[in-house]
Amino acid sequence: MARGVTTATLRSMTYLPPPAEELRFLDAELRRLDAHRAQLLARRAWLVSVLQSAAPGPAAPPFTGPAPATVPRPEASAPRVQNVLLVLGGLLLTIAAMAFTLVSWGHLGIAGRAAVLGTVTAAVLAAPVPLLRRGLRSTAESVAGLGLALTVLDAYALHGAALAGTDGTAYAAVAATVLAGAWAAYGTALGALRLPRPAALAAAQLPLLLTALAADAGPYGISAALLLTATADAAAALLVTSPALRPVRIAAAIGAYGTGGWGLLGALWFSWTAPGPGAAARAAALLLPASAVAVTAAWRAAGTAAPGTTGATSTTGVTGTTGVTGTTGSAGATSTTGPTHAPAAPGTPSPALPTLPAQPLTTTLPTATALLGILVLLAALGGVLRVTLPGGWAVPGELLGALALLAALRVPGMPERVRLGVAWASAAVQGLALLWALPLVAVALFGPFGWVDRPWSGGPADARNAVTVHAPWLSHSGPALAVLGLLAGALALLVRNATWRPRARAGAAVLAWAAALPLPAALELPYVAGLLLLGLLTAAVLALPVLPPTGTVLALVTSVDLAFLALADRTATLTVLSALTVLYAAASTRPRFAPLTAPAALAHATALACATGAAAGWQPPHTALLVLVVPAVAVAVAPRLATAARGACEVTGVVAALVAVGLAVTDAPVLALVLSSLGVLAAATAVRPDRRSAGYAAAALFALAAWVRLAAWEVTAPEAYTLAVTVPALLVGAWRRRRDPLTGSWAAYGPGLAVTLLPSLAALWRDEGWPRPLLLGSAALLVTLLGARHRLRAPLVLGGAVLVLTALHELAPYLVQFADALPRWVPPALAGLLLLALGATYERRLRDVRRVRDVLGRMS
């Protein structure tokens, strides 16, 4: 290259491949590496099989490729077989030694016993030394395990031969101490062995417990011994940091959790069942040191497990730079390695790299230990408060302790995992306190529903009697209210995070509402004062500056509770329902409240109409006329509301209309009036462009009103009235189809045909003469033929259905006589034959049905 080429020119000549080409290059390289790795694995498998099957004889043939598929693969590796054999051999020798000690011991003299024990134990304990020199480590471990077992048998034999008069428990404590020390020294002398030192740690779990049992220390002494042993185990687990002593650390951790768990269970039981302050203080004296040990261990483990907050993380991917790059940050050690084929362009961000999850023990164990320690601390506090504070006030005291712990989260230098455990412990206590207080809210919320079966039976003496119609009042109402207030204040004041702040405010509002709802009953206010306070609560919650759905939903729940609570007195019912209707109607003027408050106003108005009619002494059909005001208001108001509130308002109006129909169903003339009025409202709704489909409902309601009126007049010939409607309706339908050929037959001819055919069909089943069936069947046949001729769906379906029902009406007496004349076995036999026939021709029948459906679908 010419010497005149400058550095800038070389930089501009550097080829930077586009991302797609670089990605293809990386994929090809990865496939090449995978193929090379598969070849190396095949070579390794062949070498392992050659070594396992090697025997004296000719040398193995050279490797020419992967091992043949026909060669059976060994089911167990050689090291695994070796370990199994060694363990079985050690177990058998241990069993033999136990049998000798327990059975054949008495046949030897004192000298023989000493000689046998000393010789065998010394020989077995000394055997690992030459075995380790020869590199037989697994065999040495098995022999060392046998030697440790022999020392236990020596201790037992010594007690049985020379120290039989001593206390067995005290001797066991001394023997466990001696064995633990001897095993530890033996493991230290032979550092290559892994078994002796964990075994010494296991033996160390017994001395304090056995000493407490021998000294008859009682339950408190036994729990103290277990907790002290667990403390020593925790210290060993934290202080032993050498990788070579990892089995010792694991055994110490297991001992700390196992032994400490039993000790904690006993201490917690003493705290829970303490009859007085002295017993509670003794239990707390056990729990507080255990809590301190747990928190200290969690702090130490979180501080040494990883340099950051999430433990070690390994990341592998494309770095975009030349070479291998290693980075270490606050989140732990991170190793990043990738190929270096193409450098990244200046200013181009590095691609996102996958991250492996952190190690579970380094992340969850400190958090769980800190959580356990804080819960133990709070349990000790709760045990003392339970016997010193009266009437359930220990729960608010415990809650105050849990809230005070949140201040510990600001302690400088606290590891993140410990901080997380403290937070979880505080949250757990807060949740339990909330669950303890919720029954009071449930009584105040669902208690008023008991007035449903005794409305207007007279106002109760106070607000507490008003909510305890079918449920008893809880004795811890004061502490429960304090718990709800403390939790509400904590959420409102302690949560400062910008993301969680709105949710915390909403939660605080819910808790404050839950505390205010049972307040009148807890204070035993007068009945009227309780109603007034709940009404004010409804209005206040409705205007809360929190998330709009939260306040509106709470207001709805409070208003429903208030309405049922007012059922005890007539005047209170009318006053409360009127006030709630006005309140929700006023709130509906605000668009953000309207989707919930507008339906609520209509629902309360419906209840007010029913209550007004009942208070005036009206019959239910007459009250239905008053209820019709609600759907009329819904029809008038719905177009003025937003889209989100319009549908809810119309649905509530439909429900009110159904209530009116249900009230008027016992009086046919009033029912006809109600149906016709609803038809007018449906027609008024159909005027709106987005509610044209309401016209079908209007037509159906008018037809139902006409039929009900004819039935009320006891008309036996409805055709005289319906034909006057059918003929103009059919003419109008025909004219509409001429102007708009796309008009369906159901819209054009369906209402006109149904007005006459259906009432005539209903009158047919009460008529015993022959002219009506003949005329109706002939008319239905003519309508069916016209529908088939012009391929119109409505005449075909209506005419065919009426024709079939008319024929069944005429054949019904003969079918009954025929059924009576048949033997009893004929109907089941015919049913079975029918099922067989249907099963045999199922596919063909389905095809015919589909053809009929397609024919009807092509009709207009």
Side-chain angles (χ1 to χ4, degrees), residues 17-29:
E21 182 178 351
E22 184 178 2
L23 182 61
R24 288 194 297 269
F25 178 80
L26 293 178
D27 291 339
E29 287 293 315

Side-chain angles (χ1 to χ4, degrees), residues 234-610:
L238 293 174
L239 296 177
V240 175
T241 58
S242 174
L245 298 179
R246 187 170 179 269
V248 178
R249 188 175 186 181
I250 294 175
I254 295 174
Y257 283 102
T259 308
W262 285 108
L264 281 179
L265 286 178
L268 290 173
W269 176 255
F270 302 148
S271 178
W272 181 260
T273 59
R282 288 195 299 272
L286 294 176
L287 294 174
L288 292 178
S291 172
V293 169
V295 174
T296 304
W299 194 305
R300 177 68 180 268
T304 58
T309 60
T310 59
T313 303
S314 175
T315 305
T316 304
V318 181
T319 63
T321 57
T322 303
V324 179
T325 303
T327 60
T328 303
S330 60
T334 304
S335 174
T336 306
T337 305
T340 60
H341 301 284
T348 304
S350 300
L353 302 178
T355 302
L356 295 178
Q359 296 296 328
L361 288 179
T362 62
T363 57
T364 60
L365 194 58
T367 301
T369 307
L371 171 65
L372 177 63
I374 298 301
L375 289 179
V376 169
L377 173 64
L378 294 175
L381 175 63
V384 175
L385 293 177
R386 185 183 59 84
V387 296
T388 55
L389 296 180
W393 284 99
V395 178
E398 184 85 357
L399 179 60
L400 283 174
L403 295 176
L405 281 175
L406 296 177
L409 300 179
R410 302 180 181 273
V411 174
M414 177 180 290
E416 185 65 25
R417 293 298 168 184
V418 177
R419 184 177 288 109
L420 185 61
V422 174
W424 275 112
S426 178
V429 174
Q430 295 176 47
L432 292 176
L434 178 61
L435 290 177
W436 179 81
L438 282 182
L440 178 68
V441 183
V443 171
L445 184 61
F446 299 106
F449 288 89
W451 292 104
V452 174
D453 58 351
R454 55 178 75 181
W456 298 350
S457 58
D462 51 39
R464 180 173 296 184
N465 292 331
V467 300
T468 55
V469 182
H470 296 301
W473 184 251
L474 302 179
S475 59
H476 59 272
S477 57
L481 292 177
V483 166
L484 295 172
L486 288 174
L487 290 175
L491 278 179
L493 299 177
L494 299 181
V495 179
R496 299 296 182 182
N497 185 274
T499 303
W500 290 94
R501 181 66 177 169
R503 303 175 187 177
R505 293 177 58 191
V510 173
L511 289 172
W513 168 83
L517 188 65
L519 188 60
L523 299 177
E524 296 186 78
L525 297 178
Y527 174 66
V528 177
L531 293 178
L532 180 61
L533 186 59
L534 287 182
L536 294 176
L537 178 63
T538 303
V541 171
L542 192 60
L544 277 179
V546 294
L547 299 176
T550 304
T552 309
V553 170
L554 293 180
L556 289 176
V557 174
T558 310
S559 63
V560 172
D561 194 62
L562 178 59
F564 278 98
L565 195 63
L567 282 177
D569 184 73
R570 178 184 304 178
T571 305
T573 301
L574 297 176
T575 305
V576 167
L577 291 177
S578 301
L580 291 176
T581 302
V582 173
L583 174 64
Y584 283 111
S588 300
T589 58
R590 305 177 68 176
R592 66 172 185 171
F593 292 150
L596 292 177
T597 56
L602 294 177
H604 286 98
T606 303
L608 177 61
C610 296

